[in-house]
């Protein structure tokens, strides 16, 4: 994607990215036919994507969902990118099963507020 296209992405686009990545994570985790290592890698990549999308969301947008630790979500993406070797499977799968559904709900509410 060119730098011009990246610059044109707005809040709605970023929220759609988060919503789509959360949905993909749910599909990966729920599909028992997929090998665990493949799911782990796919979930990690989607968490990185979420972290990047969240990193550029304006604080005035995320402020209406204070139950989500937005800075920690962004930090997780950074950690998975820079310190991937220091991230356990338990953290990745726990985040996918416990935290991602709440994040998806919050992102959908924010997206509805930004038609």
């Amino acid at each position: 994607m060119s730098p011009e296209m990246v610059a044109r992405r707005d809040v709605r686009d970023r929220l759609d990215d988060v919503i789509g990545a959360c949905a993909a994570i749910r599909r990966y985790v729920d599909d028992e036919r997929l090998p665990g290592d493949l799911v782990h890698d796919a979930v990690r990549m989607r968490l990185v994507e979420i972290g990047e999308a969240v990193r550029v969301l304006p604080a005035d947008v995320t402020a209406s969902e204070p139950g989500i630790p937005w800075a920690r979500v962004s930090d997780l993406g950074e950690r998975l990118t820079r310190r991937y070797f220091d991230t356990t499977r338990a953290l990745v799968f726990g985040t996918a099963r416990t935290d991602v559904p709440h994040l998806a709900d919050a992102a959908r509410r924010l997206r509805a507020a930004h038609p």
Side-chain angles (χ1 to χ4, degrees):
M1 195 176 298
S2 71
E4 296 82 25
M5 289 184 76
V6 171
R8 285 186 285 199
R9 294 179 55 74
D10 63 12
V11 167
R12 294 171 300 197
D13 296 323
R14 302 299 178 162
L15 290 169
D16 286 342
D17 292 342
V18 172
I19 293 164
C22 288
I25 288 171
R26 179 163 199 126
R27 284 191 312 273
Y28 303 152
V29 170
D30 289 347
D31 191 338
E32 295 178 7
R33 298 169 299 162
L34 296 174
D37 289 345
L38 181 67
V39 172
H40 178 249
D41 290 346
V43 169
R44 280 190 343 192
M45 192 62 226
R46 291 299 186 144
L47 290 173
V48 169
E49 182 180 334
I50 289 168
E52 282 300 301
V54 165
R55 184 179 60 78
V56 297
L57 288 175
D60 63 319
V61 170
T62 58
S64 64
E65 289 289 341
I68 301 296
W70 296 103
R72 289 184 59 206
V73 172
S74 179
D75 289 347
L76 179 59
E78 180 74 14
R79 179 178 176 184
L80 290 168
T81 302
R82 306 271 186 255
R83 298 194 50 85
Y84 61 90
F85 53 86
D86 195 25
T87 307
T88 66
R89 287 176 63 102
L91 173 72
V92 171
F93 282 104
T95 299
R97 290 186 178 108
T98 304
D99 301 320
V100 167
H102 299 294
L103 177 63
D105 291 341
R108 281 192 290 274
R109 287 189 295 271
L110 291 175
R111 182 61 177 90
H114 295 86

